[in-house]
Structure formats: C-alpha cells, structure tokens
Amino acid sequence: MSFLRHCRVATRSISSPRGLLFSASATTPLILRGPTAYRAYSTQTEKKSRGGALIALTALAVGAGAGYYFFSSDFSTAKFSPVSPKPPVHGELNYQKVYNQIADILEDNDWDDGSLGPIFTRLAWHASGTYDKATNTGGSNGATMRFAPESEHAANAGLSVARAKLEPIKAANPEITYSDLWSLAGVVSIQEMGGPTIPWIPGRRDAEAIAATPDGRLPDATLGSKHLRDIFYRMGFDDREIVALSGAHALGRCHPKNSGFDGPWTTSPTLVTNGYFKELLEKKWVEKKWKGPKQYVDKETGDLMMLPTDFVLLQDKSFRPWVEKYAADEKLWFNDFASAFHKLQELGVPRNGSEKVYHFKRTDEQQ
C-alpha cells in the first residue's frame, strides 16, 4: 500500500532504512456495510458506512512500440522480434473462481495481524510500480520479481512470502500467468478488506529474468516531495494520483527488523478506509526519539507512525489540498483510488481496447 516503499515483512533484515507498507490483523468476521459486508479484524476500530460505486478507468494503451523481447526458458538466449506472439486465451478460465480462491486464503492468523491482504496488495503494487513510460519497461507485465536480482531488491524484501502463498492458486489454475495472478491478488485484497471495486483486465504475460528492471524504481520512504514526483511522474501519475495511492497506507505496519521503521499508520491496518488522511491531519505528529531512521509518531499515544514521505503530503502546497479532500470525503477517495490503482496495474501491459473488463463480486455478495 506499501504502496511507496512498503515496509518489508520478511525475516530478512537490510541495512537501508528504505521502505513502506502492508501488514494485517486477527480473526475475520463479516461486518455489514450498507447492502454488503467486508472482512473485519480484531485490530480494527472504524465501523462506519461508506460510499458505493467507483469510476472505472479506461485501460492505458501502452503498446510495445516497434517490437518486444521474446523470451525462452534460457533467458541468456532472449531474442528481439518485431512481431508480438499470439496472446493467451482467457475464455476458459473462470476469474471469479480464482478471485474466490484467493479470498479464501486471506485470513491467516499466523501472519502478522492475521491477514495476507496487505502483503498481497504490496506485491501487486511492487510488481507494477517499476514502470518507466520513457522506455516502456517494467510494469505489471512480466512478473520478473520471480527472479534475482529483482526478487532481492531491498524494496521487495518479504514479498517471497506473498509469492509462495499464491503458489497453490497458480497450481490449481495453471492457465493464469503469474503477472495476472499477482495483480488479481491485489484487487481481491482491496475489495475484501472493505475497499472499492477495482476494474481488472487479464492478458499479462510472464517474462524471464532478462526483462527485470534495475533497483531504485520504487519510492524511498526517507526522501521528500521531489523524489515522490520523480518516481510517480516517471510512471505517468499526477499529484492527485500520488496522494490517492498514498492512501493505501491505511493498511499495514512497518517492522524494524525489515525496513527499520516501526508501527502502523492507522488503528485499523486491515481495513481500507480514508483513515490515513484523517490521522495525518487530525493528530499531532512529533519526531520519534530513537536510534532508528527518522519517522514521526502521534504525540498522544506514540502507537501510530508516519514516514517522511507521508509527512511531505502535509507540507507540499499541491499535495495537501488532496489530503484534506480525501479526509473529508471517503467516497471521493474511493473513486480516485480505484482509478489510480487500476491505472497502476495496467502499466506496461499492451492493450488493443477490445479486452473484457472484469468487476468482481465480493465473497459476501455471492452468498
């Protein structure tokens, strides 16, 4: 949610204090929210009604240009071809069934706060957030995080857990690519944790290690607004979308052994709400006195935290108005977040405009 450099939740420790987001929470009863319900967890404190329909964003046309890389299993023999291979056939795969299979494994009381939802969201984000519009490289097409060195990038520490948890789903549905599976897991997680409906389109193809992107394309939590713009403008996002995507920090927590940072952003780290923006505006934040990297904690309890990249959303004159709007209007944020997250997941995926767009039913809507 981590968005930004989400906090690593693996057992591996790193020396760099870079990172951000995603963790989860305990048992999962369904809580009614208007005509539907969502999966709730024991750490959640927000129980309120929220807005409904979202605005679906038309898929980005990010054609491959003059050609593309055609990969063999031996990626050292990759060849360049001016003709795209035949895309996979999707008609035989029941994506709602795959959605439900992912939803069934979200609850995991042995994992962090009790849900895999935040780390699946982080996996989907990190698989997409490497896109560079200038070179049309990176993005959700390829799933190159399966390979070193991308799997070993500091920003991706801990995501081996998410990838491993999804392997049984892949085995049960061999037709689905890893690229589609990871992006779909992000959609499932957001919707099942009470967030908006995210439009989703299949058709991503897996690549080999030669297509992996260089380290440093994901945000660094220790830096400021210029860095955020450099990262997100490179992908084609504007200031409004940067703030909207930052709202994913409603999810998860940071862990000292992984990112160096410590604590959750909100009191409901497994519930998608506009609570991140409310906390940012309404609480008094002070710099934490400790031996770790610079971060902020709420003065009242010291239990919640914000990172330097969070705090700049208050300080920057272009970012702050959107923080205020989203804190006041959750439906507005849901709409903008759904559009921005869909856009994020389409980065680097060649489209022709004729693809089917899926709007999945939540598990409680199928009962």
Side-chain angles (χ1 to χ4, degrees):
M1 202 317 228
S2 108
F3 147 102
L4 298 184
R5 271 200 169 173
H6 310 317
C7 286
R8 272 74 73 184
V9 286
T11 55
R12 168 185 169 192
S13 61
I14 58 173
S15 57
S16 171
R18 301 177 185 180
L20 289 138
L21 180 54
F22 295 136
S23 163
S25 186
T27 57
T28 58
L30 289 179
I31 293 180
L32 293 178
R33 173 181 291 168
T36 63
Y38 63 90
R39 294 173 186 250
Y41 302 86
S42 62
T43 60
Q44 296 170 0
T45 60
E46 299 194 24
K47 298 185 177 82
K48 57 192 186 66
S49 63
R50 54 196 71 267
L54 54 92
I55 301 173
L57 185 74
T58 302
L60 289 182
V62 285
Y68 72 99
Y69 275 106
F70 173 27
F71 302 100
S72 68
S73 58
D74 177 5
F75 55 81
S76 65
T77 62
K79 299 178 181 180
F80 186 82
S81 170
V83 181
S84 177
K86 184 178 179 180
V89 177
H90 306 292
E92 299 178 0
L93 191 56
N94 183 337
Y95 288 107
Q96 182 69 64
K97 182 192 74 172
V98 181
Y99 176 107
N100 293 349
Q101 291 172 343
I102 297 171
D104 285 343
I105 68 170
L106 287 183
E107 181 182 351
D108 189 336
N109 291 328
D110 294 327
W111 179 252
D112 214 357
D113 292 312
S115 171
L116 295 168
I119 197 172
F120 285 168
T121 308
R122 180 181 160 226
L123 175 64
W125 153 245
H126 281 222
S128 304
T130 58
Y131 184 67
D132 181 356
K133 66 180 182 180
T135 60
N136 195 33
T137 57
S140 67
N141 216 32
T144 51
M145 200 193 304
R146 292 172 291 144
F147 308 106
E150 188 172 339
S151 62
E152 299 174 351
H153 290 169
N156 292 330
L159 289 177
S160 59
V161 174
R163 297 193 300 270
K165 292 288 186 179
L166 289 170
E167 278 298 326
I169 310 296
K170 170 65 173 171
N173 303 277
E175 310 96 321
I176 195 169
T177 62
Y178 282 101
S179 306
D180 275 347
L181 179 61
W182 294 356
S183 65
L184 180 56
V187 170
V188 174
S189 299
I190 290 168
Q191 293 192 179
E192 294 296 313
M193 289 189 291
T197 301
I198 308 291
W200 185 80
I201 307 172
R204 296 164 187 80
R205 305 171 201 164
D206 292 338
E208 297 296 334
I210 194 172
T213 55
D215 199 1
R217 287 196 176 183
L218 294 169
D220 185 331
T222 67
L223 300 179
S225 57
K226 181 182 183 302
H227 170 73
L228 283 182
R229 289 192 171 94
D230 288 343
I231 293 292
F232 285 93
Y233 286 8
R234 185 203 71 221
M235 291 186 277
F237 291 109
D238 60 23
D239 287 357
R240 179 175 183 170
E241 292 168 318
I242 292 173
V243 179
L245 287 171
S246 295
H249 278 169
L251 301 173
R253 64 178 66 236
C254 286
H255 303 77
K257 67 179 180 180
N258 300 314
S259 67
F261 301 105
D262 185 25
W265 287 264
T266 71
T267 57
S268 52
T270 58
L271 179 61
V272 180
T273 73
N274 64 342
Y276 166 77
F277 301 110
K278 290 185 174 182
E279 301 287 17
L280 196 54
L281 283 172
E282 296 172 4
K283 293 195 182 302
K284 181 173 179 58
W285 299 96
V286 295
E287 189 171 338
K288 184 172 183 176
K289 296 179 180 179
W290 70 326
K291 295 182 180 179
K294 182 179 179 179
Q295 70 173 71
Y296 301 89
V297 294
D298 69 295
K299 185 176 181 180
E300 182 180 1
T301 68
D303 294 335
L304 303 181
M305 68 104 216
M306 291 288 169
L307 302 168
T309 43
D310 299 310
F311 214 65
V312 298
L313 299 184
L314 290 180
Q315 299 169 327
D316 187 276
K317 64 181 181 180
S318 177
F319 290 150
R320 184 177 180 118
W322 290 110
V323 173
E324 294 172 346
K325 289 177 182 179
Y326 294 147
D329 189 342
E330 188 176 71
K331 183 177 180 179
L332 173 65
W333 175 63
F334 267 30
N335 288 340
D336 285 0
F337 177 77
S339 294
F341 195 82
H342 174 70
K343 177 178 176 178
L344 175 70
Q345 299 232 78
E346 286 295 297
L347 297 177
V349 186
R351 301 295 191 194
N352 60 28
S354 65
E355 295 84 4
K356 179 178 178 179
V357 180
Y358 287 80
H359 297 84
F360 295 105
K361 291 184 178 180
R362 294 166 176 78
T363 52
D364 65 273
E365 295 172 334
Q366 303 169 47
Q367 298 172 358

